[in-house]
C-alpha cells in the first residue's frame, strides 16, 4: 500500500450506538493501526429528522470506554474538518451542481403525492415503481430531463421544491470489488435514481458520504453489510466525479444467538444481555437500555468478543488484547457469513479478564458498589477478592461469594443444616473452639495441622467436623477453604461464630 491508510467510522447520531457499530469502529481502528494509518470519526447528521440529542456524546464515550481512540474527529485534530456533516452543509451543493452540469444528475420536481400515485398505480399492476431510465424521460415524471432548461430554471427560481437525482446509467454492467466478498457484477438497469440533494439545502447520505470520503482522503471504507446495496451507486458516483474510489470491505451481519436473523435490541431484552456498550436513556426519558459497562463487563472483554464477531486469527488463540489484535488483524480473515452472537461467550471473556485484574483494583470496584464495605480496609478486601474471584464473572458477583468474610451469618441454610448438624455436633464444635483458642500463631497452616491432626488422631469423619464448621462460618456449605476463612476473619470472630452455631443447635 503506497498511500497512507485512512479509514473512517461514520455513524449517524440517531440513538445509542449498537454493539454492531462498535464492532465496525473496532475493525476500522485495527486496520488503521495495523497499517500505521489514521482512524477518523465522522458524524453523519444530515438527516435532521432522525437526529437525537446526546447521541454523538454517547458514541464518543463508548469508543473512549473501549479504548478505540480516533486520530481525527469532532474537536480533535481537525485537519480535514469539520467532522460533522451538518457543519459541512455548504460544501455539498457545488458537487451536486457539478454532477448536473456533467449530465450525471438532474433536477426532479415530482411531489410526494405524484410519486405515491405512481407507486400505487404500479402496485395495482403487480409491479414495483423504480425511478430510473425506464420512466424518467417518459413524460409522466417532472424533471429537467423532460423540461427545457428555461422551464427548469423558472421552477427553481419560483421556489418550487426539488431534489437532485443521480442519473444511473442504462444497459451497463458494473464491476464491483469488495475485500471480503470478492468481485460482484451489477446490471445498472436495476438501480434507481437515488436522491442526492434536497431543496432544504441538505445532501442525502449518499452524496455527503462520497464527497467526504474523497475530501478526507479515505483509502478504505469498512462498514456493515447493510450498506452493500449502496456500493453500486457509490462506485458510480466516484466514476461520475472522476475520483479514485477507496477500497471497500463490508463486514458480516451480527446474528441472534439462535443464528437466525439480525441481532436486535429485543433479543437482548428477552435474554437479559446488553446490545449497547453503555447504558442509554433517551432524551425524553422513555427509552432505557442496559449497557455492557454498567452490567460489569470489562472493556477488554468487550473488545475481545467483538473482534471475534466476524474475524478469527486462524489459530486456537481466543484471548487478544487490543494491541495483539492490532498485530494480528487482517481483513482477509473476516468472514462473509453472519457471525452468531453468543452471550455465554461474552461472560467467558469477562471471567478471563477478571482473573487478569489486580486484586487491589477489583477491591476498589467492589468497595464502591457495596455500602457494607465502606469502613473496611481495602487491603483486606483485596485478600478476600483473591480467594473468590476465580468463581466470579462480574464484580457484582463478589458479595454473594464473600459476604461471610465481612459479616457473620444471620441464618443457616436449611438443607445445609440438615446435612451438617448431627448428634454430637455441639461437642465436636466445642472441641474445635478449644483447638482454635490454643492455636497461638493463628496461621492457615497451624489451624490446618491442629484441626486435621485432631480429626485423624481421634478417627472422626472429616465431614462431621468440617461441615458444621463451614456452616458456622459461612451459613451454608459453600465458599473457599475453611482454614482460609478462619484465618481471614481472625480468632475471636471464628470462636464467636462457632459459639453462635452451638447455641442454635
Ligand atoms: N452514516 C452511515 C451509518 O450510519 C455510514 C455508512 C458508511 O459507513 O458508509 O452507518
Amino acid at each position: 500500500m503506497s498511500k497512507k491508510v485512512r479509514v473512517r467510522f461514520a455513524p449517524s447520531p440517531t440513538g445509542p450506538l449498537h454493539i454492531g457499530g462498535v464492532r465496525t469502529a473496532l475493525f476500522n481502528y485495527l486496520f488503521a493501526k495495523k497499517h500505521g494509518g489514521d482512524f477518523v470519526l465522522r458524524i453523519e447528521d444530515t438527516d435532521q429528522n432522525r437526529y437525537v440529542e446526546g447521541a454523538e456524546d454517547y458514541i464518543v464515550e463508548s469508543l473512549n470506554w473501549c479504548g478505540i481512540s480516533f486520530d481525527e474527529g469532532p474537536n480533535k485534530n481537525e485537519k480535514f474538518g469539520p467532522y460533522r456533516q451538518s457543519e459541512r452543509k455548504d460544501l455539498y451543493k457545488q458537487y451536486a451542481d457539478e454532477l448536473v452540469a456533467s449530465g450525471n444528475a438532474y433536477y426532479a420536481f415530482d411531489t410526494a403525492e405524484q410519486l405515491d400515485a405512481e407507486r400505487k398505480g404500479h402496485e395495482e399492476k403487480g409491479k414495483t415503481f423504480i425511478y430510473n431510465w425506464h420512466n424518467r424521460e417518459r413524460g409522466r415524471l417532472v424533471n429537467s430531463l423532460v423540461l427545457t432548461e428555461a422551464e427548469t430554471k423558472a421552477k427553481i427560481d419560483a421556489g418550487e421544491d426539488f431534489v437532485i437525482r443521480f442519473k444511473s446509467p442504462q444497459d451497463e454492467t458494473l464491476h464491483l470489488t469488495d475485500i471480503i466478498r470478492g468481485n460482484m457484477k451489477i446490471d445498472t438497469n436495476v438501480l434507481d435514481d437515488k436522491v442526492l440533494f434536497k431543496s432544504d439545502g441538505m445532501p442525502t447520505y449518499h452524496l455527503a458520504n462520497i464527497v467526504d470520503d474523497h475530501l478526507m482522503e479515505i483509502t478504505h471504507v469498512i462498514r456493515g453489510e447493510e450498506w452493500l446495496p449502496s456500493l453500486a451507486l457509490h462506485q458510480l458516483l466516484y466514476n461520475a466525479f472522476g475520483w479514485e474510489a477507496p477500497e471497500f470491505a463490508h463486514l458480516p451481519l451480527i446474528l441472534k444467538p439462535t443464528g437466525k436473523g439480525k441481532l436486535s435490541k429485543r433479543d437482548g431484552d428477552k435474554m437479559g444481555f446488553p446490545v449497547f456498550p453503555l447504558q442509554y436513556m433517551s432524551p425524553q426519558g422513555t427509552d432505557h437500555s442496559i449497557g455492557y459497562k454498567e452490567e460489569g463487563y470489562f472493556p477488554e472483554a468487550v473488545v475481545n468478543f467483538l473482534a471475534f464477531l466476524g474475524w478469527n486469527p486462524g489459530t486456537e488463540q481466543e484471548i487478544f488484547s487490543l494491541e495483539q489484535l492490532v498485530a494480528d488483524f487482517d481483513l482477509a480473515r473476516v468472514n462473509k457469513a453472519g457471525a452468531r452472537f453468543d452471550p455465554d461467550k461474552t461472560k467467558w471473556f469477562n471471567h478471563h479478564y477478571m482473573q487478569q485484574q489486580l486484586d487491589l483494583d477489583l477491591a476498589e470496584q467492589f468497595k464502591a458498589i457495596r455500602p457494607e464495605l465502606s469502613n473496611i480496609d481495602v487491603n483486606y478486601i483485596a485478600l478476600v477478592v483473591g480467594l473468590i474471584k476465580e468463581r466470579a464473572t462480574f464484580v457484582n458477583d463478589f458479595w454473594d461469594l464473600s459476604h461471610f468474610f465481612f459479616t457473620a451469618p444471620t441464618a443457616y441454610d436449611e438443607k445445609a443444616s440438615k446435612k451438617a448438624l448431627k448428634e454430637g455436633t455441639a461437642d465436636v464444635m466445642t472441641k474445635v473452639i478449644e483447638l482454635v483458642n490454643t492455636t497461638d500463631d493463628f496461621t492457615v497452616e497451624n489451624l490446618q495441622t491442629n484441626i486435621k491432626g485432631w480429626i485423624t488422631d481421634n478417627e472422626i469423619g472429616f465431614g462431621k467436623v468440617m461441615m458444621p464448621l463451614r456452616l458456622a462460618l459461612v451459613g451454608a456449605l459453600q465458599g473457599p477453604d475453611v482454614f482460609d476463612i478462619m484465618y481471614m476473619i481472625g480468632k475471636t470472630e471464628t470462636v464467636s461464630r462457632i459459639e453462635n452455631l452451638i447455641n442454635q443447635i
Side-chain angles (χ1 to χ4, degrees):
M1 261 169 270
S2 50
K3 264 196 281 178
K4 180 167 194 192
V5 164
R6 286 177 56 81
V7 298
R8 84 305 191 271
F9 176 51
S12 299
T14 54
L17 182 64
H18 186 276
I19 49 161
V22 184
R23 196 244 350 223
T24 300
L26 174 65
F27 283 23
N28 272 285
Y29 171 87
L30 297 177
F31 183 78
K33 297 302 127 190
K34 166 110 194 183
H35 297 286
D38 297 327
F39 173 52
V40 175
L41 174 66
R42 184 174 70 227
I43 301 296
E44 301 211 324
D45 56 351
T46 53
D47 189 348
Q48 294 293 313
N49 296 325
R50 297 183 59 219
Y51 179 80
V52 172
E53 194 67 46
E56 180 186 321
D57 289 342
Y58 181 95
I59 291 164
V60 172
E61 281 163 25
S62 299
L63 297 182
N64 286 345
W65 180 66
C66 290
I68 306 171
S69 57
F70 50 91
D71 301 296
E72 295 162 33
N75 311 321
K76 189 169 179 188
N77 196 14
E78 298 209 3
K79 49 182 167 180
F80 288 85
Y83 291 83
R84 280 182 207 100
Q85 288 186 327
S86 58
E87 292 169 16
R88 303 167 66 79
K89 190 178 149 199
D90 297 336
L91 196 114
Y92 304 111
K93 179 68 172 38
Q94 69 184 89
Y95 291 98
D97 288 343
E98 188 183 321
L99 291 180
V100 174
S102 62
N104 286 297
Y106 59 92
Y107 286 93
F109 301 94
D110 317 273
T111 63
E113 293 75 35
Q114 281 170 314
L115 292 175
D116 256 358
E118 283 297 332
R119 250 173 243 129
K120 285 219 182 80
H122 275 71
E123 263 169 38
E124 276 158 20
K125 287 185 230 150
K127 290 184 184 163
T128 315
F129 172 66
I130 308 180
Y131 203 128
N132 68 0
W133 62 277
H134 193 244
N135 49 27
R136 64 191 168 207
E137 287 171 66
R138 288 257 175 97
R140 272 234 296 278
L141 301 171
V142 192
N143 57 51
S144 59
L145 299 175
V146 289
L147 301 171
T148 65
E149 211 170 302
E151 285 169 329
T152 302
K153 189 170 179 310
K155 277 180 177 294
I156 296 171
D157 290 347
E160 266 190 47
D161 278 347
F162 66 84
V163 296
I164 296 177
R165 286 183 182 272
F166 186 67
K167 191 178 171 194
S168 308
Q170 191 179 338
D171 299 332
E172 281 180 25
T173 302
L174 193 63
H175 295 268
L176 301 171
T177 304
D178 181 280
I179 297 172
I180 297 167
R181 286 145 213 280
N183 295 329
M184 289 162 283
K185 270 197 288 193
I186 297 275
D187 171 5
T188 58
N189 287 357
V190 305
L191 301 175
D192 60 338
D193 290 355
K194 280 272 189 293
V195 173
L196 301 177
F197 198 87
K198 293 171 289 175
S199 48
D200 66 1
M202 275 296 196
T204 60
Y205 153 73
H206 300 292
L207 179 69
N209 187 270
I210 265 54
V211 167
D212 285 348
D213 281 348
H214 173 70
L215 295 178
M216 294 181 177
E217 297 177 12
I218 299 303
T219 57
H220 295 77
V221 168
I222 304 169
R223 60 186 173 190
E225 178 173 328
E226 62 273 27
W227 298 102
L228 193 58
S230 300
L231 180 57
L233 171 64
H234 293 181
Q235 182 64 55
L236 287 168
L237 281 168
Y238 282 104
N239 298 351
F241 282 118
W243 296 337
E244 189 191 337
E247 290 189 55
F248 291 93
H250 289 84
L251 305 176
L253 291 177
I254 299 179
L255 305 177
K256 295 176 190 300
T258 56
K260 290 195 190 96
K262 223 171 126 173
L263 178 71
S264 72
K265 171 163 150 42
R266 234 176 316 138
D267 301 313
D269 291 345
K270 255 195 297 186
M271 293 176 66
F273 63 83
V275 298
F276 300 110
L278 312 179
Q279 69 177 7
Y280 177 75
M281 181 67 90
S282 63
Q284 300 77 26
T286 45
D287 176 19
H288 176 259
S289 303
I290 57 170
Y292 276 93
K293 178 182 176 196
E294 294 77 12
E295 289 300 292
Y297 282 83
F298 301 108
E300 298 88 339
V302 172
V303 162
N304 203 149
F305 82 67
L306 286 178
F308 274 79
L309 289 174
W311 171 84
N312 70 76
T315 65
E316 295 294 302
Q317 187 182 343
E318 291 189 282
I319 299 300
F320 283 85
S321 67
L322 195 59
E323 294 70 38
Q324 288 166 325
L325 285 170
V326 168
D328 286 21
F329 185 75
D330 187 351
L331 280 175
R333 295 212 59 89
V334 174
N335 304 317
K336 286 194 272 230
R340 193 175 67 83
F341 181 80
D342 179 355
D344 292 334
K345 196 72 192 192
T346 66
K347 291 186 182 154
W348 181 86
F349 278 113
N350 213 59
H351 176 267
H352 170 84
Y353 284 101
M354 163 89 78
Q355 312 315 311
Q356 309 298 304
Q357 295 239 350
L358 291 180
D359 293 345
L360 196 59
D361 290 344
L362 291 169
E364 302 275 10
Q365 295 169 41
F366 186 21
K367 192 170 163 136
I369 60 165
R370 285 315 292 205
E372 298 89 337
L373 303 179
S374 56
N375 292 324
I376 296 179
D377 181 358
V378 74
N379 293 303
Y380 176 77
I381 304 175
L383 291 175
V384 171
V385 165
L387 293 172
I388 53 128
K389 70 174 179 184
E390 207 190 295
R391 265 167 297 152
T393 303
F394 303 108
V395 174
N396 275 331
D397 300 337
F398 284 179
W399 182 252
D400 281 350
L401 294 169
S402 72
H403 54 88
F404 43 85
F405 284 106
F406 308 104
T407 56
T410 50
Y412 301 105
D413 180 76
E414 213 176 298
K415 255 202 191 151
S417 303
K418 265 201 194 127
K419 218 167 144 192
L421 305 179
K422 301 271 142 81
E423 254 199 71
T425 299
D427 293 341
V428 171
M429 288 298 103
T430 309
K431 182 67 197 170
V432 172
I433 292 180
E434 209 183 298
L435 290 167
V436 169
N437 275 329
T438 51
T439 305
D440 289 331
D441 190 5
F442 202 71
T443 63
V444 173
E445 291 71 30
N446 289 346
L447 281 166
Q448 216 163 346
T449 318
N450 292 351
I451 295 177
K452 282 193 174 164
W454 172 73
I455 294 174
T456 336
D457 291 349
N458 293 277
E459 294 177 8
I460 314 168
F462 261 87
K464 275 204 176 132
V465 182
M466 300 309 285
M467 276 207 281
L469 182 52
R470 182 177 285 283
L471 188 67
L473 300 173
V474 175
L477 295 182
Q478 290 155 2
D481 188 76
V482 165
F483 300 107
D484 281 336
I485 301 173
M486 292 164 93
Y487 167 74
M488 290 290 290
I489 63 177
K491 190 187 269 188
T492 317
E493 179 68 13
T494 300
V495 169
S496 141
R497 288 191 193 183
I498 304 173
E499 277 169 356
N500 283 348
L501 182 76
I502 296 172
N503 292 338
Q504 299 252 342
I505 297 177

